[in-house]
Amino acid sequence: MAWIYLFIASFGEIFGVASINMYLKRNSWKWRLTVIVVFSLGFYFLALAMREIPLGTAYAIWTGLGATGAVIMGVMFFREPMSRLRLVFLTFIICGAVGLKIVA
């Protein structure tokens, strides 16, 4: 169950970063509240996951999945560029997260 919590927590990271981007564009109290709520939920599920998953592993996977998801979201919804080199480094992040899951 801890790995499911960690996966849910990574969505908090992804949507939290996207919410920050929307807040910076719209500067409204609704987006500010969204940032707070989404990150809070992400931290809550990260805390639940860390009851069973070691700190270093949980944090590395959480940030790795969050960073990868944020880049993908940026490319898909915010028209950020995607280069081959960027794709290579995203692959490294994903391989690192998978590797940590395998050895944890």
Side-chain angles (χ1 to χ4, degrees):
M1 193 68 185
W3 290 101
I4 293 171
Y5 290 149
L6 188 57
F7 186 72
I8 294 169
S10 70
F11 278 103
E13 179 83 354
I14 295 165
F15 290 112
V17 171
S19 298
I20 289 173
N21 195 22
M22 292 303 296
Y23 171 71
L24 292 173
K25 290 180 180 190
R26 305 264 193 291
N27 200 12
S28 72
W29 65 270
K30 291 178 184 179
W31 282 110
R32 184 180 303 172
L33 181 63
T34 302
V35 169
I36 293 167
V37 169
V38 171
F39 272 120
S40 296
L41 287 171
F43 284 130
Y44 173 73
F45 282 102
L46 177 62
L48 290 177
M50 288 174 54
R51 290 179 178 173
E52 295 179 30
I53 301 170
L55 167 94
T57 302
Y59 184 72
I61 291 174
W62 178 65
T63 56
L65 291 176
T68 302
V71 169
I72 292 169
M73 183 169 278
V75 169
M76 292 177 65
F77 297 106
F78 299 110
R79 298 187 186 125
E80 294 179 2
M82 175 59 86
S83 66
R84 286 186 181 161
L85 194 55
R86 197 171 188 188
L87 189 59
V88 166
F89 288 116
L90 280 175
T91 303
F92 289 160
I93 291 172
I94 293 168
C95 289
V98 170
L100 286 170
K101 165 68 172 104
I102 291 170
V103 299

